[in-house]
Amino acid sequence: MSAKRIGPRDDLALMEGYHSPQVDVAVRLNTNESPYPPPAAFGERLAAAVADVQWHRYPDRAAVELRTRIGALHGVGRDSVFAANGSNEVLQTLLLTYAGFGRTVATFEPTYALHAHIARLCGAGVIEGERDDNFVLHLDEIDRVLAEGDPRVLFLCSPNNPTGREEPRDLVEAVLDRMTDRGGLLVVDEAYGQFASWSAVDLITEDTPLVVTRTYSKTWSMAAARLGYLVGPRWVVAELDKVVLPYHLDVLKQRAGVIALDLAQDMEHRVAAVVAERDRVLGELADLAVDVWPSGANFVLFRPQRRSGPEVWNSLLAHGVLVRNCASWPRLDGCLRVTIGTPAEDDEFLAALKEAL
Ligand SMILES: *Cc1c(COP(=O)(O)O)cnc(C)c1O
């Protein structure tokens, strides 16, 4: 008897998943995590919290304490905060709620690949706008995309992954005006917001369709915990609460998120240290045979001038340094992206790079 094997939905059949090799090397500078583990007090308090958990009960479905504390961090009430398993789940819930079949989502490439990927998984169409050769986004291109695609949801990523650029405030305000007029939603992905010079959180009101997504993964040294959130109008958060699975945030994660906020000052020191390191690495790269672009994030994009991106990537790996190979990604021909590490890791990267070039 010959069995027929079921395939995925027709519209998913040609899709690729998320690719980032997890190679075991000494210096891992490929996924934009914090180079520092959380402070020792974090582990101690979390261990105490574990002992305290009522494992036979479901967690607080509304995650009241966590959302209240995140809200306090941003000067808003808990009804303006939605939290989920990594900001990727925040993005997925947003797109399940506001995109889907018959609706279009706009991205400006190159940018975080999961915006378009999750939109397609949700059944939405995607219209891709372009940046100029230096990865700057212009308002006339945004207007073209709005006119051609009439997107319900428009993504900006600031600082943008993988280019590092921040979007200027006047551009974000201009896009918000347009999405307000059109009855759309503007999503500003601020996964790297704490490393940047300004935040779109300040633009959020009840009367404008703007949400800002954030994550504990990068700044807060908590990539392993999978926790992210958004701040936005209460009417958006209320819709997301209907769509997300009940009890999606387990009790330990809720505790971990609150404990991290108790240690916010330590976290701020880490951010300051990473920003100082970023500026040092940018300065060093400026003297080497690479093209390099400004960064408001905890990583830097660069393009070797004399050797190909993959050659340099392989040479770095041979020296025990793993960076992100973007060389074959559309619009990023020959580019590599390095996450800012500890000063010692960055020195190893810079030494290996000098040899590789
Ligand atoms: C890393 C990253 C995320 C995902 O973060 P998680 O909270 O770990 O899911 C979202 N957006 C951008 C731009 C990122 O770089």
Side-chain angles (χ1 to χ4, degrees), residues 18 31-32 85-89 91 111-112 115 157 159-161 189-192 213-218 223 226-229 299 337:
Y18 180 78
T31 44
N32 297 344
N85 293 284
S87 59
N88 285 335
E89 194 186 33
L91 299 171
T111 191
Y112 187 52
H115 296 157
C157 189
N160 186 39
N161 181 6
D189 185 334
E190 287 193 358
Y192 305 96
T213 64
R214 290 263 177 134
T215 176
Y216 279 64
S217 298
K218 315 285 164 57
R226 310 302 304 125
L227 182 58
Y229 63 91
F299 57 83
R337 188 195 70 192

Side-chain angles (χ1 to χ4, degrees), residues 105-177:
V105 173
T107 63
F108 295 88
E109 303 295 328
T111 191
Y112 187 52
L114 284 222
H115 296 157
H117 181 67
I118 301 171
R120 291 188 178 108
L121 289 176
C122 293
V126 175
I127 181 165
E128 295 181 345
E130 302 291 330
R131 294 163 196 269
D132 70 17
D133 289 346
N134 278 311
F135 308 121
V136 176
L137 179 54
H138 298 281
L139 202 52
D140 52 0
E141 172 65 359
I142 293 173
D143 283 331
R144 181 190 70 79
V145 165
L146 290 175
E148 279 181 28
D150 192 24
R152 288 305 90 211
V153 178
L154 186 149
F155 278 102
L156 294 176
C157 189
S158 181
N160 186 39
N161 181 6
T163 66
R165 278 200 188 272
E166 294 179 40
E167 298 304 349
R169 183 181 179 119
D170 54 356
L171 182 114
V172 176
E173 285 176 333
V175 177
L176 181 56
D177 283 346

Side-chain angles (χ1 to χ4, degrees), residues 194-350:
Q194 283 99 329
F195 305 106
S197 63
W198 78 284
S199 169
V201 170
D202 297 343
L203 303 178
I204 292 170
T205 71
E206 280 303 299
D207 304 322
T208 46
L210 167 68
V211 297
V212 177
T213 64
R214 290 263 177 134
T215 176
Y216 279 64
S217 298
K218 315 285 164 57
T219 322
W220 291 80
S221 306
M222 277 175 59
R226 310 302 304 125
L227 182 58
Y229 63 91
L230 70 71
V231 182
R234 290 190 291 273
W235 50 271
V236 171
V237 172
E239 295 300 333
L240 302 179
D241 278 335
K242 294 181 206 164
V243 171
V244 76
L245 295 176
Y247 308 111
H248 67 297
L249 282 180
D250 68 71
V251 67
L252 261 191
K253 183 172 325 213
Q254 294 188 33
R255 296 283 183 89
V258 170
I259 292 168
L261 290 170
D262 289 338
L263 303 170
Q265 272 205 315
D266 289 83
M267 302 298 182
E268 293 310 320
H269 291 318
R270 284 143 203 273
V271 172
V274 168
V275 167
E277 259 308 279
R278 175 193 72 205
D279 293 342
R280 179 177 79 94
V281 170
L282 277 171
E284 299 251 356
L285 288 175
D287 294 335
L288 302 180
V290 298
D291 301 326
V292 59
W293 291 273
S295 172
N298 66 339
F299 57 83
V300 173
L301 187 76
F302 63 98
R303 178 191 283 135
Q305 291 166 348
R306 295 202 273 265
R307 294 184 71 195
S308 79
E311 276 175 321
V312 172
W313 186 82
N314 274 313
S315 170
L316 289 171
L317 193 57
H319 286 87
V321 178
L322 179 64
V323 301
R324 194 67 181 267
N325 184 1
C326 314
S328 64
W329 298 2
R331 307 167 184 87
L332 288 171
D333 201 21
C335 289
L336 304 177
R337 188 195 70 192
V338 61
T339 304
I340 299 305
T342 62
E345 288 173 330
D346 296 336
D347 283 342
E348 285 196 48
F349 158 70
L350 289 164

